[in-house]
Amino acid sequence: METQAQAVGLLAVGAANARTDERSLIRAAQRGDSEAFEQLVRSYDTNVLRMAYNLLHSEEDARDIYQEAFLRVFKKLPEFRFDSAFSTWLYRIVANLCLDQIRKRKVRKEENPSVETSSGEVDRLQFVPESRADVDPQRQLLSNEVNTRIHEVLNSLSPRERLVFEMRHYQGMRLRAIGEALGVTEEAAKNCLFRATQKMRAALGDFI
Amino acid sequence: MSCHDAQTKLSFYLYGELDFAEEEAVEQHLAECAFCQQALAREKTWHTAASAGYRDVPLDLLAECREDLRHTLRAEAAAESPRRRFSFDWGSLFRITPNRWSYQLALGSFLVFLGFAGGRLVNRMPDLNFGSGPNTASLLGGAHIRDIQPSGDGQVRILVDHVDQREVVGTLRDENVKRWVLAAVQDPNDPGIRVDSVEILANDGGNDVRDALLDRVEHDPNAAVRLKALEALQHFSDDPVTRNAIVSVLQRDSEPALRAAAVDVLASANGKLVLTPEAAATLRQLARSERDDYLRLRCLQILQADHDAFGIY
Ligand SMILES: [Zn+2]
């Protein structure tokens, strides 16, 4: 009984304390609180890794981006001055790392076109089940042909178009935030996305 | 608005990136133009098709990345520490350092925890025996678990502050050790301790372990702890009580990552795709109602991979 009363009392007192917004987390991490830094990392790292993994189709590259991104965050966090949202700041770091890697990859591929398959990199669509040859349009949608086509279009996008498409279509980020992360205007991000979606539509037009 | 104008805006319309006036104009045009309605349907189709190929990160990869980061930062902090104003306690990274702020945070999560588990806690009060044996109440009464680690060959090492520190070492077969671990898994002060304890319990079976894990999945305020517990429950995925709890995570957990992991646990046994009729029904329900795009598509993917579901779509 007594404990219950105590718990209720604590709840009332704690209501104000329980609010731990991101700003105070960042402040604490800046002061050297490792728990706070961990919480910050964990609120974003799944998305960061997912983005790198799907952009680069390689566990190894995704792993490198993850390490490098959060190491930079760790080193630069003391200088973070809340001029932008933390997520924008983080995605700026991640976006730049991914862009560099995609560009490097393009160069590598042009030098040695077979590298993509021989290095054991995974096909982004390998887990999509092959559908039966029925005529149900919904199922046909996921047929390998469509998937291969999508894969080709994604690979044919410029690094920046690819990144913007990733951030908008897959990560669900707003164009304004994408612009901020890439250091361009919202309008420029929108144009980039427009080109990407046009290429996608053109390539898939005869299938759907 | 011409058909051409409308059609160049369809993708932005689907992304919700048009301003109010543009959106109005597109909707007005769509209402009157069957041709553009068809174009919109095609646009939706390729949006969905593109999303269906999206792959989730293997859970192992995420765990490995976190582990690597822990090592990197520890080395980094060691090299840097003379320049840092406060010393970073990377030796126990991802645990609470006892400064005032984190104490407040801990109190915060403790209170959330009480909010969920308070009733249960009170029920356990009668078997309180301070000092001699571990239980949740003795954590409240002053004892504090400082660290918990597996120490090879199945042994667990638990460091307890109880006025003076004391150390308990043994395997989970030792009832006393097991009780400490089951208490640590509820440690209200430190999510890091809870994560490590869940990991240790993951190697053990039994209803008490299952119940402790279920309790964390359903009630832990920290999403990382919930995720860890959910992964640990993979061993119990045949068990009906566990499956019910996972379905309730799918319906209630606010964290999409948790719901995504729950979908995978629900659809698998021993690493293979196994879909019971009830699980398939849950996934079909989610495929219709889930808010998160990725998750909806993941459900569709699993259902498609599963032959039983064939014919429903
Ligand atoms: Zn029209």
Side-chain angles (χ1 to χ4, degrees), chain B residues 256-287:
Chain B
L258 258 288
R259 299 202 299 280
V263 164
D264 287 337
V265 173
L266 197 64
S268 70
N270 304 319
K272 286 201 221 63
L273 175 74
V274 176
L275 211 54
T276 63
E278 298 80 27
T282 307
L283 295 189
R284 278 196 294 275
Q285 170 69 32
L286 276 174

Side-chain angles (χ1 to χ4, degrees), chain A residues 38 45 136 142 166 169 174, chain B residues 15-16 54 66 94 304 313:
Chain A
E38 185 250 344
D45 70 344
D136 182 343
L142 285 169
E166 176 76 26
H169 193 87
R174 310 298 305 179
Chain B
Y15 287 132
Y54 205 67
R66 286 176 173 173
F94 302 155
Q304 286 213 309
Y313 292 95

Side-chain angles (χ1 to χ4, degrees), chain B residues 180-202:
Chain B
W180 272 109
V181 180
L182 288 171
V185 91
Q186 299 189 3
D187 186 326
N189 296 310
D190 190 339
I193 294 270
R194 299 203 298 277
V195 167
D196 289 343
S197 310
V198 164
E199 211 158 71
I200 286 164
L201 286 178

Side-chain angles (χ1 to χ4, degrees), chain B residues 26-37:
Chain B
V26 168
E27 278 181 352
Q28 206 174 356
H29 182 90
L30 281 171
E32 294 158 0
C33 178
F35 185 59
C36 285
Q37 282 167 21

Side-chain angles (χ1 to χ4, degrees), chain A residues 68-79:
Chain A
E68 188 55 34
F70 287 112
L71 184 59
R72 284 192 195 180
V73 168
F74 173 70
K75 285 183 175 171
K76 292 186 174 172
L77 193 63
E79 298 156 31

Side-chain angles (χ1 to χ4, degrees), chain A residues 41-203:
Chain A
V41 170
R42 290 199 178 209
S43 29
Y44 292 100
D45 70 344
T46 310
N47 280 343
V48 166
L49 188 64
R50 192 185 281 173
M51 177 166 139
Y53 185 56
N54 276 281
L55 269 172
L56 300 163
H57 321 159
S58 151
E59 285 198 15
E60 222 28 65
D61 286 350
R63 201 189 285 262
D64 289 348
I65 301 261
Y66 180 102
Q67 295 302 321
E68 188 55 34
F70 287 112
L71 184 59
R72 284 192 195 180
V73 168
F74 173 70
K75 285 183 175 171
K76 292 186 174 172
L77 193 63
E79 298 156 31
F80 180 69
R81 290 285 168 268
F82 299 94
D83 300 330
S84 63
F86 175 77
S87 60
T88 306
W89 186 71
L90 168 66
Y91 274 104
R92 191 173 302 154
I93 292 174
V94 176
N96 281 324
L97 288 169
C98 287
L99 270 180
D100 285 349
Q101 192 57 31
I102 297 172
R103 287 181 185 133
K104 257 188 244 166
R105 180 79 70 76
K106 286 225 174 216
V107 173
R108 235 195 300 156
K109 212 160 88 180
E110 275 149 25
E111 282 167 359
N112 178 6
S114 68
V115 75
E116 190 116 16
T117 44
S118 63
S119 67
E121 283 162 8
V122 277
D123 180 351
R124 70 152 38 229
L125 297 162
Q126 68 179 351
F127 297 123
V128 176
E130 194 170 345
S131 76
R132 299 183 190 182
D134 296 58
V135 278
D136 182 343
Q138 281 283 357
R139 294 187 66 79
Q140 202 154 2
L141 221 181
L142 285 169
S143 75
N144 273 352
E145 225 168 339
V146 174
N147 290 328
T148 309
R149 191 68 79 93
I150 290 168
H151 191 37
E152 283 166 7
V153 183
L154 288 174
N155 279 337
S156 74
L157 299 179
S158 76
R160 189 173 275 184
E161 287 164 2
R162 177 70 189 88
L163 189 64
V164 169
F165 188 73
E166 176 76 26
M167 289 169 126
R168 178 56 259 194
H169 193 87
Y170 296 116
Q171 302 289 323
M173 288 170 70
R174 310 298 305 179
L175 277 171
R176 180 193 308 235
I178 296 172
E180 281 175 14
L182 295 179
V184 300
T185 61
E186 183 178 346
E187 205 50 37
K190 194 170 184 179
N191 288 337
C192 226
L193 180 66
F194 183 72
R195 289 195 301 276
T197 55
Q198 262 195 323
K199 288 180 189 176
M200 204 64 122
R201 189 181 310 116

